[in-house]
Amino acid sequence: MAGNRTFSMIKPDAYEAGNTGAILKMMEEAGFRIVSMKLTRLTADNAGAFYAVHKERPFYQDLVSYMSSGPIVALILEKDNAVADFRKLIGATNPAEAEDGTIRKLFAKSIEANAVHGSDSDENAAIEGSFFFAETEKF
Ligand code: ATP
Ligand code: MG
């Protein structure tokens, strides 16, 4: 059975552009409850560890620099079928391919600076949530 929590980040480009409020509104209007939320900033080491699965990819160093370039908002979100439904709400990695009405279609600047992160599995949602939040910060 699909789990009911996912992990998200509002990435530096979206925070910097002042789109945090609009993105949070879309998350809540789509039925996601905010379990945890934190405005923070990743060090390059943190960003490298978070995206370690991509370390052999050509874009890895740029991704680490970008993700540590400014504040991010880390979130744990709750809804039935959270991981899949949230991936649908954010749209394709490349905003040029994202469906109308998705967060990335509306707010992403490029395939790299694509406004939001969404976990790709229940297992990664749990790992990524615990990367940012202690059990006592999960409401
Ligand atoms: P995320 O994991 O951030 O939710 P995703 O699952 O849609 O995004 P991944 O394949 O996991 O996409 O890539 C992680 C991130 O790496 C992307 O969100 C984007 O910021 C960056 N990225 C992915 N592909 C490219 C690329 N071809 N060029 C530059 N950056 C990329
Ligand atoms: Mg991913």
Side-chain angles (χ1 to χ4, degrees):
M1 200 189 90
N4 66 348
R5 285 189 180 182
T6 191
F7 173 77
S8 179
M9 280 187 279
I10 297 174
K11 296 185 178 184
D13 61 294
Y15 173 82
E16 181 60 28
N19 291 325
T20 297
I23 291 171
L24 291 174
K25 185 162 190 264
M26 286 182 73
M27 292 172 177
E28 290 193 318
E29 283 180 351
F32 290 89
R33 186 180 75 82
I34 297 171
V35 172
S36 309
M37 179 162 69
K38 189 180 287 180
L39 177 64
T40 184
R41 185 171 175 160
L42 293 168
T43 64
D45 282 355
N46 292 156
F50 187 86
Y51 280 113
V53 296
H54 295 305
K55 68 174 177 293
E56 306 306 331
R57 309 281 286 278
F59 58 80
Y60 179 69
Q61 284 307 330
D62 277 353
L63 177 61
V64 168
S65 309
Y66 156 63
M67 286 302 298
S68 54
S69 67
I72 59 100
V73 181
L75 294 145
I76 297 174
L77 299 170
E78 190 169 82
K79 181 185 182 298
D80 287 349
N81 200 35
V83 166
D85 284 3
F86 191 70
R87 299 279 297 189
K88 207 164 178 193
L89 178 67
I90 68 179
T93 310
N94 184 349
E97 291 163 12
E99 280 186 50
D100 283 348
T102 60
I103 293 175
R104 283 170 169 164
K105 181 71 173 194
L106 287 165
F107 298 113
K109 301 207 167 14
S110 66
I111 191 169
E112 178 181 77
N114 61 2
V116 280
H117 164 80
S119 302
D120 59 10
S121 66
D122 289 342
E123 189 191 1
N124 284 336
I127 293 168
E128 291 169 1
S130 295
F131 190 95
F132 285 89
F133 299 103
E135 285 308 311
T136 51
E137 296 174 305
K138 297 174 187 172
F139 299 101

